[in-house]
Amino acid sequence: MSAILQQELDYFLPSEWYPQSGVQLTWPHADTDWQPYLDDITEVFVQLTQTIAQYEKVMIVAQQAEEVQALLKKRMSAEALVNVMVYTLPTNDTWARDHGAITLVATSTQNGFHNSHRLLDFRFNGWGKKFAADKDNAITGQLYFDGLLSGSIENHNDFVLEGGAIESDGEGTVFTTSQCLLAPNRNQPLERDEIEKELKRRLRAKRVVWLDHGTLIGDDTDGHIDTIVRTAPDNTLVYVGCEDENDEQYADFKALEEQLQTLRTMDGEPYKLLKLPMPDAIYDDGDRLPATYANYLIINGAVICPTYRQPEKDQAALKVIQAAYPDREIVAIDACTVIRQHGSIHCLTMQFPQGILR
């Protein structure tokens, strides 16, 4: 792993609402688990591309780039396509949030040392070796060495970390979940305090806040934080609540809410808490799917939010998200197909801070 120099402490992990240069999508194809409903998930990706391109660049990694380019040419104007870049790379799956680079932003220059943004390339191993991930794990390095990403790359392939497992407030606090980072086949034999030390060192974080409750049934990431709690401006946390005492998840999410109420900012103040509704249970072949409104994507000028064909709850969730990000347009995209592979909108995407996409 590249040495972390003393001067390199002048970096921070930005919040998602920090100005962006673009968003990475990794496109579905017939050799992925999307094959039975490839047309439906492709439509979701087209909608994501159309929406993001209105605000910033979209970098698409595709196994069949020419097919993707031809499809987008039919669906988007030439003006909109200026913001879309498609690159050919082999892929296992589509979850850019978890195989994409986690980017640190430089804050200053010290002692003549030139600080540039840092692209942290962690190891992605299919959420604890559940799925093949060798091709996806190689994507960030290939994009960087092909000259598509600016900044400097850091090889953290000795440490397993997915982008969906962490949330940053941009002020030095990183939130994560114990159920994910302590799960099997991640970073054993490291214990919790050792993992926290590594997170702080590698992410240049001042502190790590661990959440211990709130795992969605059907979530095969072992409890990514971006499915349950998200950071927002003004020391705000947006979280999933559960009001139905008959829901099998009720006790776990009530415990999450109670833990959030005990948290304090680095200044010792309680967080402002905004509660999202829990979608009504959605099943596929008898298995409950991990539907969540917390899995939204923040981009320049907008928030792209998942909906689940539940008009009352969909609208209630959009209203909460609008309150959390009042300066952004709220855009809804139907995610009922996405959750069939146990993720949602945020899981499919990875944003890059300004200055990264060439």
Side-chain angles (χ1 to χ4, degrees):
M1 188 185 75
S2 61
I4 298 177
L5 304 178
Q6 180 64 38
Q7 296 97 320
E8 295 176 15
L9 295 175
D10 288 336
Y11 292 88
F12 67 96
L13 180 62
S15 64
E16 197 165 305
W17 58 90
Y18 185 87
Q20 299 175 12
S21 60
V23 171
Q24 177 183 331
L25 298 176
T26 303
W27 207 266
H29 54 82
D31 294 328
T32 65
D33 291 338
W34 296 112
Q35 194 276 333
Y37 23 88
L38 187 58
D39 289 345
D40 291 340
I41 191 62
T42 298
E43 177 61 26
V44 173
F45 272 75
V46 170
Q47 291 178 23
L48 277 170
T49 304
Q50 291 172 322
T51 302
I52 298 167
Q54 295 177 44
Y55 301 90
E56 58 191 80
K57 293 180 181 179
V58 187
M59 182 180 70
I60 295 171
V61 175
Q63 190 152 291
Q64 289 90 22
E66 291 184 359
E67 293 181 14
V68 174
Q69 289 170 325
L71 173 61
L72 294 177
K73 191 173 182 180
K74 293 179 181 178
R75 298 289 299 276
M76 298 176 65
S77 67
E79 182 181 23
L81 283 171
V82 170
N83 262 354
V84 179
M85 304 164 282
V86 185
Y87 300 105
T88 303
L89 286 175
T91 64
N92 300 107
D93 213 326
T94 55
W95 307 105
R97 178 61 46 183
D98 296 337
H99 62 247
I102 296 172
T103 310
L104 303 182
V105 171
T107 60
S108 66
T109 302
Q110 283 189 355
N111 303 322
F113 179 84
H114 176 67
N115 286 282
S116 61
H117 293 348
R118 290 295 170 115
L119 300 160
L120 308 188
D121 189 8
F122 289 95
R123 177 152 47 102
F124 174 57
N125 71 348
W127 309 285
K129 301 180 180 179
K130 296 184 183 73
F131 305 96
D134 56 316
K135 297 173 184 176
D136 292 344
N137 188 48
I139 288 174
T140 293
Q142 291 174 305
L143 291 173
Y144 178 77
F145 290 110
D146 285 347
L148 305 177
L149 303 175
S150 299
S152 301
I153 196 167
E154 282 185 9
N155 181 358
H156 291 269
N157 200 50
D158 60 337
F159 193 81
V160 175
L161 183 67
E162 303 104 28
I166 55 173
E167 274 284 302
S168 173
D169 65 357
E171 302 292 336
T173 297
V174 170
F175 296 82
T176 192
T177 66
S178 56
Q179 51 266 39
C180 175
L181 289 198
L182 302 181
N185 299 314
R186 293 296 210 291
N187 289 301
Q188 286 76 14
L190 296 183
E191 301 288 346
R192 175 166 161 159
D193 59 340
E194 296 171 308
I195 291 173
E196 177 170 325
K197 182 178 179 181
E198 288 300 317
L199 289 175
K200 289 166 74 173
R201 182 175 73 89
R202 296 170 192 258
L203 300 175
R204 282 56 156 194
K206 298 175 183 176
R207 66 170 185 159
V208 176
V209 174
W210 295 80
L211 300 178
D212 304 307
H213 309 281
T215 302
L216 290 166
I217 294 170
D219 173 16
D220 52 20
T221 70
D222 300 312
H224 273 182
I225 194 165
D226 70 345
T227 65
I228 59 169
V229 177
R230 304 295 304 281
T231 58
D234 197 23
N235 290 325
T236 300
L237 298 177
V238 182
Y239 71 102
V240 176
C242 184
E243 300 302 316
D244 181 3
E245 295 184 10
N246 295 316
D247 191 313
E248 55 196 323
Q249 302 182 128
Y250 175 79
D252 192 24
F253 277 82
K254 184 59 66 175
L256 170 66
E257 183 174 52
E258 291 171 353
Q259 184 177 12
L260 293 175
Q261 291 168 348
T262 69
L263 298 183
R264 296 296 181 264
T265 68
M266 283 193 286
D267 293 329
E269 298 297 322
Y271 284 94
K272 300 174 183 177
L273 301 178
L274 293 178
K275 184 190 297 189
L276 291 165
M278 175 78 70
D280 295 336
I282 301 173
Y283 295 91
D284 185 30
D285 291 332
D287 296 323
R288 185 166 179 170
L289 300 176
T292 170
Y293 293 112
N295 206 249
Y296 52 80
L297 172 68
I298 307 166
I299 58 175
N300 296 335
V303 184
I304 304 176
C305 306
T307 55
Y308 300 102
R309 303 173 195 170
Q310 300 176 18
E312 187 174 334
K313 287 195 171 182
D314 289 349
Q315 288 304 310
L318 297 178
K319 185 176 180 179
V320 171
I321 296 169
Q322 181 70 84
Y325 311 94
D327 60 336
R328 284 169 161 77
E329 182 179 0
I330 303 300
V331 181
I333 289 184
D334 187 313
C336 287
T337 299
V338 188
I339 60 169
R340 296 184 72 176
Q341 285 300 323
H342 309 278
S344 200
I345 298 299
H346 194 246
C347 302
L348 294 175
T349 62
M350 176 54 88
Q351 78 284 344
F352 295 105
Q354 62 183 8
I356 295 298
L357 290 187
R358 292 187 182 274

